[in-house]
Amino acid sequence: PLCLSPYSGAAGGITATFHHLLGAQLESGAQFVMDRLGVPKMISQMDYVITAEGSLDAQSLAGKAPGLLAQMAQAQQVPTLALVGQVKDREEISKRFDVVFPINPEWKNAEYAYQEVESHLSWAAEQVGRMLKLMRRETVL
């Protein structure tokens, strides 16, 4: 069936149709973009990779950009930090991401999270910066 085709995610109807009717070659959109941007080479020059995702879960590890980015970084032994709205499947996520920072310090409901996303994301990013600053300081001392 068309809906079971690999790489037929969000735009699955279109991509599966092109594949089955026109013989188009399908590939991961995240992989395609990262390869074109030269991300694998850039990662080798980084001390850390920091990414973000609204909901980080097992599906994020199955071809979505944050999961692929973490996989590439892990292969090059570059630590990966994620800023996320919520975390599910924590055991699986912990195998791929070195540190996960939830950006909702005071979860009330989804509406509140959306209204406060900018301030919560800024706060979480500041916490990451503080942590990295402390780590750098400890290596200098």
Side-chain angles (χ1 to χ4, degrees), residues 3 26 60 87 111:
C3 62
L26 302 180
S60 303
V87 183
E111 183 180 337

Side-chain angles (χ1 to χ4, degrees), residues 51-57 59-60 64-67 82-86 103:
T51 188
E53 179 76 319
S55 179
L56 193 60
D57 54 28
Q59 189 178 17
S60 303
K64 284 186 161 186
L83 298 166
V84 301
Q86 65 178 344
I103 66 167

Side-chain angles (χ1 to χ4, degrees), residues 31 49 51 56-82 88-100:
Q31 184 73 55
V49 170
T51 188
L56 193 60
D57 54 28
Q59 189 178 17
S60 303
L61 305 178
K64 284 186 161 186
L68 180 59
L69 187 60
Q71 180 182 0
M72 290 177 173
Q74 192 175 46
Q76 297 186 49
Q77 299 179 333
V78 176
T80 305
L81 296 79
K88 297 178 183 175
D89 309 314
R90 290 183 296 179
E91 270 188 50
E92 292 177 61
I93 295 302
S94 293
K95 292 176 186 174
R96 184 69 51 85
F97 292 86
D98 295 289
V99 180
V100 176

Side-chain angles (χ1 to χ4, degrees), residues 8-141:
S8 60
I14 294 171
T15 58
T17 300
F18 285 174
H19 174 68
H20 288 287
L21 298 180
L22 303 174
Q25 181 179 337
L26 302 180
E27 59 184 285
S28 162
Q31 184 73 55
F32 177 85
V33 170
M34 288 193 198
D35 287 345
R36 297 315 177 276
L37 293 174
V39 171
K41 184 177 180 180
M42 283 189 259
I43 289 173
S44 68
Q45 301 166 11
M46 296 179 180
D47 294 325
Y48 307 96
V49 170
I50 301 174
T51 188
E53 179 76 319
S55 179
L56 193 60
D57 54 28
Q59 189 178 17
S60 303
L61 305 178
K64 284 186 161 186
L68 180 59
L69 187 60
Q71 180 182 0
M72 290 177 173
Q74 192 175 46
Q76 297 186 49
Q77 299 179 333
V78 176
T80 305
L81 296 79
L83 298 166
V84 301
Q86 65 178 344
V87 183
K88 297 178 183 175
D89 309 314
R90 290 183 296 179
E91 270 188 50
E92 292 177 61
I93 295 302
S94 293
K95 292 176 186 174
R96 184 69 51 85
F97 292 86
D98 295 289
V99 180
V100 176
F101 289 90
I103 66 167
N104 290 307
E106 47 190 355
W107 181 262
K108 294 180 182 177
N109 56 47
E111 183 180 337
Y112 173 78
Y114 288 123
Q115 288 173 349
E116 298 298 323
V117 69
E118 187 176 343
S119 68
H120 287 174
L121 185 56
S122 295
W123 181 85
E126 181 181 344
Q127 301 314 303
V128 170
R130 288 177 179 202
M131 181 196 69
L132 295 176
K133 184 178 178 181
L134 285 173
M135 290 172 56
R136 226 173 307 135
R137 184 175 171 204
E138 287 178 11
T139 59
V140 173
L141 296 175

